[in-house]
Amino acid sequence: MTAPALKRSRYTLQARQETGVYLHNTFTGRGGFYPHRALDLLKRAQPDPGDPLTAQLRRDGHLIGSDTDELGRAQQQQLTAFFRDDVLHLILFSTEQCNFRCTYCYEKFLHGRMRPEVVEGVKQLVSRRAPGLKLLSISWFGGEPLHAHDIVQDLSDHFTALSAEHGFKYMAHATTNGHYLTPELAPQLIESGLRDFQITLDGPQAVHDQTRKLQGGGGTFDTIWRNLLFLRASDLDFTCTLRINFSPDNYARTPEFITQLGDTFGHDPRFQLHTHPVGRWGGEQDDLLNVYSQDDGFDLAIPLYEHARTCGLSMRHANLNPFGSTCYAARGNSFAVRTSGQVVKCTVALDDERNHVGQLHADGTLQLDQARLLPWVRDNALTDSTCQSCAIRPSCHGAACPLEKMDHGRQPCPD
Protein backbone atom coordinates (compact mmCIF):
# COMPACT_ATOMS: atom_id res chain seq x y z
CA MET A 1 0.00 0.00 0.00
CA THR A 2 1.35 3.42 -0.97
CA ALA A 3 1.92 5.74 1.94
CA PRO A 4 -0.33 8.82 1.87
CA ALA A 5 1.24 11.98 0.51
CA LEU A 6 1.99 14.51 3.21
CA LYS A 7 2.68 18.22 3.30
CA ARG A 8 4.00 20.71 5.77
CA SER A 9 1.30 22.47 7.77
CA ARG A 10 0.86 26.12 6.88
CA TYR A 11 0.55 26.77 10.62
CA THR A 12 3.95 25.37 11.61
CA LEU A 13 6.49 27.96 12.76
CA GLN A 14 10.22 27.27 12.99
CA ALA A 15 13.29 28.70 14.68
CA ARG A 16 16.54 27.04 13.70
CA GLN A 17 19.24 26.58 16.36
CA GLU A 18 22.75 25.12 16.15
CA THR A 19 21.72 21.80 17.69
CA GLY A 20 18.24 21.48 16.21
CA VAL A 21 15.06 23.35 15.39
CA TYR A 22 12.10 24.59 17.38
CA LEU A 23 8.77 23.85 15.70
CA HIS A 24 5.36 25.00 16.91
CA ASN A 25 2.00 24.48 15.28
CA THR A 26 -0.52 27.22 16.02
CA PHE A 27 -3.51 25.04 15.06
CA THR A 28 -2.69 22.12 17.35
CA GLY A 29 -0.70 24.05 19.98
CA ARG A 30 1.92 21.33 19.89
CA GLY A 31 5.63 21.41 19.17
CA GLY A 32 9.05 21.36 20.73
CA PHE A 33 12.71 20.92 19.89
CA TYR A 34 13.49 18.52 17.02
CA PRO A 35 16.66 17.36 15.23
CA HIS A 36 17.63 19.29 12.12
CA ARG A 37 16.47 16.52 9.81
CA ALA A 38 12.88 17.36 10.79
CA LEU A 39 13.14 20.22 8.30
CA ASP A 40 14.09 17.77 5.54
CA LEU A 41 11.08 15.62 6.36
CA LEU A 42 8.80 18.67 6.20
CA LYS A 43 10.03 19.34 2.63
CA ARG A 44 9.43 15.83 1.30
CA ALA A 45 6.18 14.89 -0.40
CA GLN A 46 6.33 11.34 0.98
CA PRO A 47 8.43 11.01 4.16
CA ASP A 48 9.01 7.46 5.35
CA PRO A 49 5.90 6.59 7.42
CA GLY A 50 7.99 4.08 9.41
CA ASP A 51 10.36 6.79 10.60
CA PRO A 52 9.61 7.62 14.29
CA LEU A 53 10.37 11.28 13.64
CA THR A 54 7.82 11.35 10.80
CA ALA A 55 5.24 9.88 13.17
CA GLN A 56 6.03 12.51 15.79
CA LEU A 57 5.75 15.33 13.26
CA ARG A 58 2.34 14.01 12.24
CA ARG A 59 1.15 13.72 15.85
CA ASP A 60 2.19 17.30 16.53
CA GLY A 61 0.46 18.56 13.38
CA HIS A 62 3.55 19.65 11.45
CA LEU A 63 2.97 17.04 8.74
CA ILE A 64 -0.59 16.62 7.47
CA GLY A 65 -2.33 14.87 4.61
CA SER A 66 -1.70 16.59 1.28
CA ASP A 67 -5.45 16.93 0.68
CA THR A 68 -6.15 18.60 4.05
CA ASP A 69 -8.07 21.88 3.80
CA GLU A 70 -6.26 23.77 6.55
CA LEU A 71 -8.02 27.05 5.93
CA GLY A 72 -11.40 25.33 6.23
CA ARG A 73 -10.31 23.64 9.47
CA ALA A 74 -9.20 26.98 10.92
CA GLN A 75 -12.48 28.64 9.95
CA GLN A 76 -14.44 25.84 11.59
CA GLN A 77 -12.24 26.04 14.68
CA GLN A 78 -13.05 29.76 14.95
CA LEU A 79 -16.80 29.43 14.40
CA THR A 80 -17.14 26.54 16.80
CA ALA A 81 -15.35 28.29 19.64
CA PHE A 82 -16.53 31.88 19.25
CA PHE A 83 -20.25 31.19 19.18
CA ARG A 84 -20.81 27.93 21.04
CA ASP A 85 -23.73 28.20 23.44
CA ASP A 86 -22.53 25.56 25.91
CA VAL A 87 -19.77 27.93 27.07
CA LEU A 88 -20.44 31.15 28.99
CA HIS A 89 -17.78 33.65 30.00
CA LEU A 90 -18.80 36.46 32.33
CA ILE A 91 -16.56 39.29 33.50
CA LEU A 92 -18.14 40.57 36.70
CA PHE A 93 -17.51 43.91 38.37
CA SER A 94 -18.24 43.26 42.05
CA THR A 95 -17.40 46.93 42.61
CA GLU A 96 -15.99 49.76 40.54
CA GLN A 97 -14.26 51.28 43.54
CA CYS A 98 -10.65 50.58 44.49
CA ASN A 99 -8.48 51.08 47.55
CA PHE A 100 -5.46 51.83 45.29
CA ARG A 101 -4.73 54.83 43.09
CA CYS A 102 -2.17 53.58 40.57
CA THR A 103 -0.48 56.26 38.50
CA TYR A 104 -1.37 54.66 35.14
CA CYS A 105 -4.93 53.56 35.96
CA TYR A 106 -7.62 54.47 33.42
CA GLU A 107 -10.70 53.93 35.61
CA LYS A 108 -12.86 56.77 36.92
CA PHE A 109 -14.28 55.16 40.13
CA LEU A 110 -17.69 56.75 39.57
CA HIS A 111 -19.71 53.69 40.60
CA GLY A 112 -19.87 51.60 43.76
CA ARG A 113 -20.76 48.01 44.60
CA MET A 114 -22.77 45.73 42.34
CA ARG A 115 -26.41 46.49 42.98
CA PRO A 116 -28.49 43.77 44.70
CA GLU A 117 -30.78 43.42 41.68
CA VAL A 118 -27.71 42.90 39.47
CA VAL A 119 -26.35 40.22 41.82
CA GLU A 120 -29.73 38.51 41.54
CA GLY A 121 -29.69 38.95 37.76
CA VAL A 122 -26.29 37.22 37.50
CA LYS A 123 -27.58 34.33 39.62
CA GLN A 124 -30.71 33.97 37.49
CA LEU A 125 -28.78 34.20 34.21
CA VAL A 126 -26.38 31.43 35.17
CA SER A 127 -29.19 29.31 36.68
CA ARG A 128 -31.11 29.56 33.41
CA ARG A 129 -28.10 28.59 31.34
CA ALA A 130 -26.77 25.90 33.72
CA PRO A 131 -28.57 22.84 32.24
CA GLY A 132 -26.96 23.42 28.82
CA LEU A 133 -23.49 24.46 29.92
CA LYS A 134 -20.25 22.54 29.60
CA LEU A 135 -18.11 25.41 30.89
CA LEU A 136 -18.77 28.47 33.02
CA SER A 137 -15.79 30.84 33.12
CA ILE A 138 -15.93 33.78 35.52
CA SER A 139 -13.47 36.68 35.58
CA TRP A 140 -13.66 39.08 38.52
CA PHE A 141 -12.73 42.65 37.70
CA GLY A 142 -13.14 46.17 39.09
CA GLY A 143 -12.11 48.51 40.57
CA GLU A 144 -10.65 46.06 43.02
CA PRO A 145 -13.03 43.07 43.02
CA LEU A 146 -12.06 41.92 46.53
CA HIS A 147 -12.99 45.37 47.87
CA ALA A 148 -16.48 43.77 47.72
CA HIS A 149 -15.37 40.26 48.61
CA ASP A 150 -18.75 39.39 50.13
CA ILE A 151 -20.34 39.70 46.67
CA VAL A 152 -17.54 37.63 45.17
CA GLN A 153 -18.07 34.97 47.83
CA ASP A 154 -21.87 34.95 47.46
CA LEU A 155 -21.82 34.52 43.69
CA SER A 156 -18.93 32.04 43.81
CA ASP A 157 -20.90 29.82 46.16
CA HIS A 158 -23.86 30.00 43.77
CA PHE A 159 -21.74 29.03 40.76
CA THR A 160 -20.09 26.17 42.66
CA ALA A 161 -23.48 24.76 43.69
CA LEU A 162 -24.79 24.94 40.11
CA SER A 163 -21.65 23.25 38.82
CA ALA A 164 -22.13 20.37 41.24
CA GLU A 165 -25.82 20.07 40.35
CA HIS A 166 -25.50 20.22 36.55
CA GLY A 167 -22.02 18.82 36.01
CA PHE A 168 -20.47 21.65 34.02
CA LYS A 169 -16.88 22.76 34.52
CA TYR A 170 -16.49 25.95 36.55
CA MET A 171 -13.38 28.13 36.35
CA ALA A 172 -12.83 31.50 38.03
CA HIS A 173 -10.12 34.16 37.83
CA ALA A 174 -9.62 37.48 39.60
CA THR A 175 -7.56 40.45 38.53
CA THR A 176 -6.74 41.77 42.00
CA ASN A 177 -4.21 44.10 43.56
CA GLY A 178 -3.59 41.43 46.21
CA HIS A 179 -4.25 43.70 49.19
CA TYR A 180 -7.26 41.72 50.42
CA LEU A 181 -5.96 38.26 49.54
CA THR A 182 -5.21 37.63 53.20
CA PRO A 183 -4.61 34.38 55.09
CA GLU A 184 -8.20 34.67 56.31
CA LEU A 185 -9.92 35.37 52.98
CA ALA A 186 -7.78 33.52 50.42
CA PRO A 187 -8.65 29.98 51.62
CA GLN A 188 -12.37 30.82 51.57
CA LEU A 189 -12.23 32.10 48.01
CA ILE A 190 -10.17 29.14 46.81
CA GLU A 191 -12.57 26.72 48.48
CA SER A 192 -15.47 28.31 46.59
CA GLY A 193 -13.75 27.84 43.23
CA LEU A 194 -11.84 31.09 42.74
CA ARG A 195 -8.39 29.60 42.19
CA ASP A 196 -6.65 31.81 39.66
CA PHE A 197 -5.29 35.28 40.41
CA GLN A 198 -3.32 38.03 38.72
CA ILE A 199 -1.44 40.32 41.10
CA THR A 200 0.76 43.22 40.05
CA LEU A 201 4.06 44.21 41.63
CA ASP A 202 5.96 46.90 39.75
CA GLY A 203 9.35 46.25 41.32
CA PRO A 204 11.03 46.18 44.70
CA GLN A 205 9.26 48.08 47.46
CA ALA A 206 10.78 51.51 46.76
CA VAL A 207 9.77 51.27 43.09
CA HIS A 208 6.36 49.62 43.50
CA ASP A 209 5.20 52.08 46.14
CA GLN A 210 5.73 54.97 43.72
CA THR A 211 3.24 53.67 41.13
CA ARG A 212 0.76 51.57 43.10
CA LYS A 213 -0.27 53.66 46.09
CA LEU A 214 -3.14 53.42 48.52
CA GLN A 215 -6.08 55.73 48.06
CA GLY A 216 -5.13 58.66 50.24
CA GLY A 217 -1.42 57.84 49.99
CA GLY A 218 0.90 55.24 51.39
CA GLY A 219 2.72 52.17 50.13
CA THR A 220 1.14 48.83 49.28
CA PHE A 221 4.10 46.51 48.69
CA ASP A 222 4.44 45.11 52.23
CA THR A 223 0.82 43.95 52.48
CA ILE A 224 0.84 42.30 49.06
CA TRP A 225 4.17 40.58 49.75
CA ARG A 226 2.94 39.18 53.07
CA ASN A 227 -0.13 37.75 51.37
CA LEU A 228 1.98 36.19 48.62
CA LEU A 229 4.31 34.62 51.17
CA PHE A 230 1.29 33.08 52.88
CA LEU A 231 0.09 31.61 49.58
CA ARG A 232 3.55 30.23 48.82
CA ALA A 233 3.80 28.57 52.24
CA SER A 234 0.32 27.03 51.97
CA ASP A 235 -0.72 23.83 50.24
CA LEU A 236 -3.74 25.57 48.67
CA ASP A 237 -4.73 24.69 45.10
CA PHE A 238 -4.35 27.91 43.10
CA THR A 239 -2.40 29.61 40.33
CA CYS A 240 -1.08 33.15 40.51
CA THR A 241 0.31 35.32 37.74
CA LEU A 242 2.77 37.88 39.08
CA ARG A 243 2.54 40.83 36.71
CA ILE A 244 5.12 43.60 36.34
CA ASN A 245 4.12 46.77 34.51
CA PHE A 246 7.35 48.34 33.25
CA SER A 247 8.23 51.75 31.85
CA PRO A 248 11.44 53.77 31.34
CA ASP A 249 11.11 54.73 35.00
CA ASN A 250 11.44 51.21 36.45
CA TYR A 251 12.86 49.03 33.66
CA ALA A 252 16.47 49.21 34.86
CA ARG A 253 15.51 47.67 38.22
CA THR A 254 13.13 45.07 36.80
CA PRO A 255 15.76 42.32 36.27
CA GLU A 256 16.89 42.58 39.88
CA PHE A 257 13.26 42.32 41.00
CA ILE A 258 12.71 39.27 38.79
CA THR A 259 15.68 37.70 40.57
CA GLN A 260 13.96 38.44 43.89
CA LEU A 261 10.73 36.85 42.61
CA GLY A 262 12.68 33.83 41.44
CA ASP A 263 14.40 33.44 44.80
CA THR A 264 11.01 33.56 46.54
CA PHE A 265 8.54 31.93 44.14
CA GLY A 266 10.72 30.20 41.55
CA HIS A 267 10.23 26.48 40.92
CA ASP A 268 6.73 26.66 42.46
CA PRO A 269 4.44 25.79 39.52
CA ARG A 270 1.59 27.73 41.08
CA PHE A 271 3.34 31.02 40.28
CA GLN A 272 3.98 32.42 36.80
CA LEU A 273 5.39 35.72 35.54
CA HIS A 274 3.91 38.21 33.11
CA THR A 275 5.45 41.54 32.13
CA HIS A 276 3.69 44.33 30.27
CA PRO A 277 4.77 47.80 29.13
CA VAL A 278 2.82 50.66 30.68
CA GLY A 279 0.66 52.45 28.14
CA ARG A 280 -1.50 55.52 27.96
CA TRP A 281 -4.73 53.67 28.60
CA GLY A 282 -7.07 56.63 28.97
CA GLY A 283 -6.42 57.73 32.54
CA GLU A 284 -6.32 61.27 33.89
CA GLN A 285 -2.51 61.15 34.21
CA ASP A 286 -1.80 59.86 30.71
CA ASP A 287 0.01 63.02 29.64
CA LEU A 288 2.40 62.68 32.60
CA LEU A 289 3.35 59.06 31.98
CA ASN A 290 6.79 58.09 30.71
CA VAL A 291 6.14 55.15 28.38
CA TYR A 292 7.79 53.11 25.65
CA SER A 293 6.38 52.87 22.15
CA GLN A 294 4.34 49.71 21.70
CA ASP A 295 6.98 47.97 19.56
CA ASP A 296 9.86 48.94 21.85
CA GLY A 297 7.93 47.87 24.94
CA PHE A 298 7.25 44.38 23.72
CA ASP A 299 10.81 43.98 22.41
CA LEU A 300 12.09 44.92 25.88
CA ALA A 301 9.91 42.24 27.47
CA ILE A 302 11.88 39.46 25.75
CA PRO A 303 15.11 39.74 27.79
CA LEU A 304 13.01 39.95 30.96
CA TYR A 305 11.45 36.58 30.18
CA GLU A 306 14.82 35.10 29.28
CA HIS A 307 16.16 36.25 32.65
CA ALA A 308 13.07 34.95 34.46
CA ARG A 309 13.63 31.49 33.02
CA THR A 310 17.10 31.37 34.58
CA CYS A 311 15.50 32.30 37.91
CA GLY A 312 13.13 29.33 37.90
CA LEU A 313 10.03 31.33 36.99
CA SER A 314 7.60 29.94 34.43
CA MET A 315 5.83 32.17 31.94
CA ARG A 316 2.09 32.26 31.61
CA HIS A 317 2.08 32.58 27.86
CA ALA A 318 0.12 30.58 25.33
CA ASN A 319 0.07 33.33 22.70
CA LEU A 320 0.92 30.98 19.84
CA ASN A 321 -1.53 28.28 20.86
CA PRO A 322 -5.05 28.09 19.40
CA PHE A 323 -6.97 31.19 20.60
CA GLY A 324 -3.96 32.25 22.69
CA SER A 325 -4.05 35.78 21.27
CA THR A 326 -7.80 36.29 20.83
CA CYS A 327 -9.57 38.98 22.81
CA TYR A 328 -12.51 37.91 24.95
CA ALA A 329 -14.50 40.84 23.50
CA ALA A 330 -14.56 39.16 20.08
CA ARG A 331 -16.34 36.07 21.38
CA GLY A 332 -20.09 35.84 21.07
CA ASN A 333 -20.33 34.02 24.41
CA SER A 334 -18.39 36.54 26.51
CA PHE A 335 -19.95 39.51 28.33
CA ALA A 336 -18.86 41.91 31.03
CA VAL A 337 -21.45 42.99 33.59
CA ARG A 338 -20.87 46.28 35.38
CA THR A 339 -22.21 47.11 38.82
CA SER A 340 -25.26 48.86 37.31
CA GLY A 341 -26.14 45.82 35.20
CA GLN A 342 -24.85 47.51 32.05
CA VAL A 343 -23.38 44.91 29.70
CA VAL A 344 -20.15 45.73 27.86
CA LYS A 345 -17.69 43.78 25.75
CA CYS A 346 -14.40 45.51 26.62
CA THR A 347 -13.04 46.25 30.11
CA VAL A 348 -10.83 49.11 28.88
CA ALA A 349 -13.22 51.31 26.86
CA LEU A 350 -15.75 51.51 29.67
CA ASP A 351 -17.00 54.98 28.76
CA ASP A 352 -17.20 54.35 25.02
CA GLU A 353 -20.84 54.30 23.87
CA ARG A 354 -20.00 51.61 21.29
CA ASN A 355 -19.08 49.33 24.19
CA HIS A 356 -22.49 49.56 25.86
CA VAL A 357 -24.13 46.57 24.22
CA GLY A 358 -26.94 45.73 26.61
CA GLN A 359 -28.43 45.41 30.08
CA LEU A 360 -28.81 42.54 32.54
CA HIS A 361 -32.17 42.49 34.34
CA ALA A 362 -32.97 41.06 37.76
CA ASP A 363 -34.81 38.07 36.25
CA GLY A 364 -31.64 37.02 34.39
CA THR A 365 -32.72 38.39 31.02
CA LEU A 366 -29.75 39.57 28.97
CA GLN A 367 -31.12 42.34 26.75
CA LEU A 368 -28.63 42.99 23.94
CA ASP A 369 -28.39 45.69 21.29
CA GLN A 370 -27.48 43.64 18.23
CA ALA A 371 -26.33 46.66 16.21
CA ARG A 372 -23.77 47.57 18.87
CA LEU A 373 -22.80 43.96 19.51
CA LEU A 374 -22.06 43.07 15.88
CA PRO A 375 -18.86 45.16 15.41
CA TRP A 376 -17.26 43.35 18.36
CA VAL A 377 -17.96 39.82 17.11
CA ARG A 378 -18.13 40.13 13.32
CA ASP A 379 -16.25 37.67 11.15
CA ASN A 380 -12.67 38.90 11.67
CA ALA A 381 -10.41 36.35 9.96
CA LEU A 382 -13.24 34.61 8.09
CA THR A 383 -13.01 37.12 5.23
CA ASP A 384 -9.74 38.99 5.76
CA SER A 385 -7.27 37.80 3.10
CA THR A 386 -4.21 38.69 5.18
CA CYS A 387 -5.46 36.60 8.09
CA GLN A 388 -6.26 33.70 5.81
CA SER A 389 -2.65 33.49 4.64
CA CYS A 390 -1.11 34.06 8.09
CA ALA A 391 0.73 31.26 9.90
CA ILE A 392 -0.48 32.37 13.33
CA ARG A 393 -4.12 32.80 12.30
CA PRO A 394 -5.37 30.03 14.68
CA SER A 395 -3.86 31.86 17.65
CA CYS A 396 -5.80 35.10 17.09
CA HIS A 397 -8.35 34.47 14.32
CA GLY A 398 -8.12 38.13 13.44
CA ALA A 399 -9.52 39.04 16.84
CA ALA A 400 -6.52 40.31 18.79
CA CYS A 401 -8.32 43.59 19.56
CA PRO A 402 -11.77 44.37 18.12
CA LEU A 403 -11.56 47.89 19.56
CA GLU A 404 -8.46 48.68 17.52
CA LYS A 405 -10.20 47.46 14.39
CA MET A 406 -13.22 49.65 15.16
CA ASP A 407 -11.00 52.67 15.84
CA HIS A 408 -8.61 52.38 12.91
CA GLY A 409 -10.39 50.22 10.34
CA ARG A 410 -7.56 47.70 10.11
CA GLN A 411 -7.17 44.17 11.30
CA PRO A 412 -5.10 44.20 14.52
CA CYS A 413 -2.25 41.74 14.92
CA PRO A 414 -1.12 40.27 18.26
CA ASP A 415 1.78 41.85 20.10
Side-chain angles (χ1 to χ4, degrees):
M1 181 181 294
T2 304
L6 301 173
K7 65 180 179 182
R8 175 183 175 138
S9 169
R10 66 193 296 170
Y11 300 125
T12 287
L13 310 176
Q14 72 180 57
R16 187 191 290 266
Q17 306 291 311
E18 286 187 12
T19 56
V21 60
Y22 286 104
L23 300 175
H24 185 85
N25 188 276
T26 60
F27 182 82
T28 65
R30 300 184 67 173
F33 195 64
Y34 304 79
H36 278 136
R37 71 184 187 88
L39 294 179
D40 296 329
L41 293 174
L42 293 181
K43 294 175 184 176
R44 294 184 195 174
Q46 288 183 298
D48 179 5
D51 184 340
L53 184 55
T54 298
Q56 182 181 359
L57 292 172
R58 294 193 68 179
R59 285 195 301 271
D60 293 343
H62 306 307
L63 280 174
I64 59 174
S66 60
D67 58 350
T68 302
D69 178 7
E70 287 196 277
L71 179 58
R73 290 172 67 192
Q75 291 174 332
Q76 187 59 42
Q77 182 189 58
Q78 177 182 350
L79 288 170
T80 300
F82 276 34
F83 301 102
R84 57 187 298 179
D85 59 7
D86 58 354
V87 173
L88 178 62
H89 175 223
L90 296 177
I91 303 170
L92 301 177
F93 290 70
S94 58
T95 178
E96 296 188 37
Q97 293 297 308
C98 185
N99 59 324
F100 281 23
R101 288 297 182 268
C102 302
T103 55
Y104 42 69
C105 185
Y106 58 87
E107 298 201 36
K108 303 296 190 292
F109 311 113
L110 299 178
H111 305 284
R113 291 161 54 88
M114 183 178 278
R115 298 173 184 171
E117 64 270 22
V118 180
V119 174
E120 181 61 25
V122 172
K123 289 181 178 179
Q124 292 299 322
L125 170 64
V126 178
S127 295
R128 284 182 172 192
R129 295 286 305 275
L133 287 180
K134 290 185 178 178
L135 171 63
L136 172 66
S137 177
I138 299 294
S139 299
W140 290 102
F141 202 70
E144 166 49 45
L146 300 186
H147 197 51
H149 59 81
D150 56 323
I151 293 176
V152 175
Q153 189 73 61
D154 179 28
L155 285 171
S156 296
D157 290 342
H158 184 74
F159 302 146
T160 301
L162 287 174
S163 172
E165 178 182 355
H166 295 280
F168 60 78
K169 184 178 181 180
Y170 166 51
M171 301 170 56
H173 164 82
T175 300
T176 171
N177 59 37
H179 190 269
Y180 295 109
L181 206 58
T182 62
E184 294 74 32
L185 182 60
Q188 298 176 38
L189 295 172
I190 292 169
E191 177 65 25
S192 62
L194 176 50
R195 297 192 176 97
D196 186 49
F197 307 95
Q198 177 179 278
I199 298 172
T200 297
L201 293 162
D202 282 350
Q205 182 176 2
V207 174
H208 171 96
D209 285 346
Q210 292 301 308
T211 57
R212 300 184 65 81
K213 302 176 182 180
L214 280 172
Q215 182 183 17
T220 61
F221 183 91
D222 278 345
T223 299
I224 301 168
W225 194 257
R226 282 196 303 271
N227 291 340
L228 288 171
L229 292 180
F230 162 75
L231 288 172
R232 184 202 62 179
S234 76
D235 59 0
L236 294 169
D237 180 16
F238 69 90
T239 53
C240 180
T241 299
L242 302 171
R243 173 167 168 154
I244 303 174
N245 293 321
F246 65 86
S247 71
D249 295 329
N250 70 341
Y251 186 84
R253 296 197 64 183
T254 299
E256 104 186 46
F257 183 58
I258 289 175
T259 300
Q260 181 181 350
L261 292 177
D263 290 343
T264 311
F265 305 104
H267 306 291
D268 185 332
R270 297 174 297 180
F271 293 92
Q272 296 93 27
L273 179 72
H274 175 56
T275 70
H276 199 91
V278 172
R280 295 188 176 98
W281 296 319
E284 295 179 355
Q285 301 190 63
D286 270 7
D287 292 341
L288 304 176
L289 296 178
N290 187 15
V291 302
Y292 292 112
S293 70
Q294 182 172 343
D295 289 344
D296 287 346
F298 288 106
D299 285 345
L300 287 166
I302 295 172
L304 298 180
Y305 287 121
E306 292 174 344
H307 176 59
R309 235 175 243 112
T310 68
C311 298
L313 289 166
S314 60
M315 292 352 110
R316 192 165 193 181
H317 276 302
N319 301 48
L320 294 177
N321 285 343
F323 306 104
S325 296
T326 58
C327 177
Y328 55 84
R331 294 173 177 259
N333 49 21
S334 175
F335 302 95
V337 181
R338 300 185 67 178
T339 58
S340 63
Q342 183 185 73
V343 178
V344 299
K345 291 295 286 178
C346 173
T347 59
V348 175
L350 294 176
D351 298 320
D352 191 323
E353 284 294 323
R354 298 171 300 172
N355 193 25
H356 304 163
V357 300
Q359 184 73 27
L360 175 66
H361 298 290
D363 64 356
T365 302
L366 198 60
Q367 181 181 353
L368 297 174
D369 182 329
Q370 295 298 327
R372 286 189 175 180
L373 181 64
L374 182 60
W376 294 95
V377 300
R378 63 177 40 156
D379 59 13
N380 301 301
L382 294 176
T383 58
D384 188 279
S385 58
T386 301
C387 291
Q388 291 178 17
S389 62
C390 180
I392 67 166
R393 178 254 171 84
S395 72
C396 77
H397 291 288
C401 180
L403 181 63
E404 183 177 333
K405 183 178 180 181
M406 292 161 64
D407 284 343
H408 304 294
R410 63 174 182 264
Q411 200 73 299
C413 291
D415 300 321

